[in-house]
Amino acid sequence: AELEQILGFSLFDRVKGRLVPTPEGQMFYRDVDASFSGLDRLRSAGARIRDFGSGSVRVASLAALGSTLLPRAIKLFRDRHPTTTVNLNILSSSGVRNAVADGEFDIGLAADEVDLSGVEHQVFGSFEAVIAIPPEHELASRDVISPADLDHIDYVALSPEDRARHRFDQVCAEADIRPNLVTETPNSATVCALALAGVGLGLVNPLAADGFKERGLVFRRFEPPVYFKSYILYRPDVQKARLVRAFVQALLEARNSRPQLLS
């Protein structure tokens, strides 16, 4: 009776000593029931945050790792935290850095040409580059590729801002070698696809080459070695939640268990 007075309408009809819900009372009950369900969800969310941090992890990655290493890391992470969602976005390294610095993502993976000011960071790894070679190419029979092997050879290059490309170009220049540049692309996976199509050889990040060896693409070591370096970036001045730490652990495990391209 007190609630009815507050609401301004009847919740029940009194019929022969029994209380029968009115249509308005039934509508009100549905809203109350939804509110209690919402409270239950809030309690569950609070428990997840208490135990693990946020109920979701937002990750931004450069393309080289976004279609290969990240899916393996997400699978490892989801096996351990099946109720946690992962938001994955693929951006340029500079885009990753800016999005993490602005607080849009919890974790970022970026190449070493990125500006590290304004973000927390740690080294993710330094990975020795390999040369992707069309299966019918004359150099496919070599065990190791040297700069001298590439003189006037059709060559698929990474973007000019890529530091691994800078290091490769420097090695070739010091040896007075001039590969025949035919295509540029920012993504090692695209270099692999172009090499598989017979467009030319290319220097690639081994973490971006999943599946191409099985399709017939040949990979060889390049000497002197050139390395792809990358960083894990974190939002500035934010204590890392347990879920973020757990996802980084999955990233490291995926990195350490990556398929080997060189026999």
Side-chain angles (χ1 to χ4, degrees), residues 36-86:
F36 275 105
S37 296
L39 287 173
D40 288 338
R41 286 194 295 272
L42 289 174
R43 291 190 192 98
S44 296
R48 286 196 301 271
I49 292 171
R50 181 191 63 234
D51 293 339
F52 303 111
S54 171
S56 65
V57 178
R58 299 168 299 166
V59 183
S61 174
L62 72 163
L65 306 182
S67 60
T68 54
L69 182 136
L70 260 299
R72 297 199 303 273
I74 290 172
K75 179 62 168 62
L76 289 170
F77 177 80
R78 287 276 301 157
D79 286 346
R80 298 160 188 169
H81 306 282
T83 63
T84 302
T85 58
V86 179

Side-chain angles (χ1 to χ4, degrees), residues 64-255:
L65 306 182
S67 60
T68 54
L69 182 136
L70 260 299
R72 297 199 303 273
I74 290 172
K75 179 62 168 62
L76 289 170
F77 177 80
R78 287 276 301 157
D79 286 346
R80 298 160 188 169
H81 306 282
T83 63
T84 302
T85 58
V86 179
N87 182 306
L88 174 61
N89 218 314
I90 306 302
L91 303 169
S92 66
S93 287
S94 60
V96 169
R97 181 263 171 205
N98 292 339
V100 172
D102 291 341
E104 298 175 20
F105 291 90
D106 304 303
I107 303 169
L109 280 172
D112 64 338
E113 66 262 20
V114 74
D115 176 15
L116 296 175
S117 62
V119 291
E120 294 185 31
H121 61 275
Q122 71 181 72
V123 174
F124 180 61
S126 182
F127 311 102
E128 185 175 346
V130 295
I131 299 289
I133 307 175
E136 303 303 324
H137 197 280
E138 59 183 307
L139 293 179
S141 61
R142 302 286 183 89
D143 293 330
V144 177
I145 303 300
S146 68
D149 297 322
L150 302 178
D151 200 25
H152 302 296
I153 294 290
D154 287 349
Y155 164 58
V156 179
L158 292 167
S159 298
E161 62 270 17
D162 191 289
R163 286 195 179 174
R165 176 185 171 171
H166 288 179
R167 291 185 277 267
F168 176 80
D169 289 348
Q170 183 178 359
V171 167
C172 289
E174 290 172 353
D176 196 25
I177 297 300
R178 294 176 177 80
N180 181 35
L181 177 62
V182 294
T183 309
E184 288 182 328
T185 176
N187 191 345
S188 284
T190 308
V191 174
C192 289
L194 290 165
L196 188 61
V199 175
L201 282 67
L203 187 85
V204 298
N205 186 332
L207 271 67
D210 284 11
F212 282 98
K213 183 177 180 180
E214 291 74 11
R215 294 164 62 185
L217 191 60
V218 176
F219 295 95
R220 293 291 183 261
R221 181 170 287 106
F222 180 71
E223 291 185 358
V226 171
Y227 292 89
F228 287 88
K229 300 176 183 178
S230 55
Y231 290 92
I232 302 177
L233 311 181
Y234 303 99
R235 294 163 55 191
D237 303 322
V238 175
Q239 184 177 5
K240 300 180 193 58
R242 289 179 63 184
L243 277 180
V244 170
R245 296 197 298 271
F247 193 86
V248 170
Q249 180 61 35
L251 281 173
L252 298 176
E253 291 179 29
R255 177 199 67 186

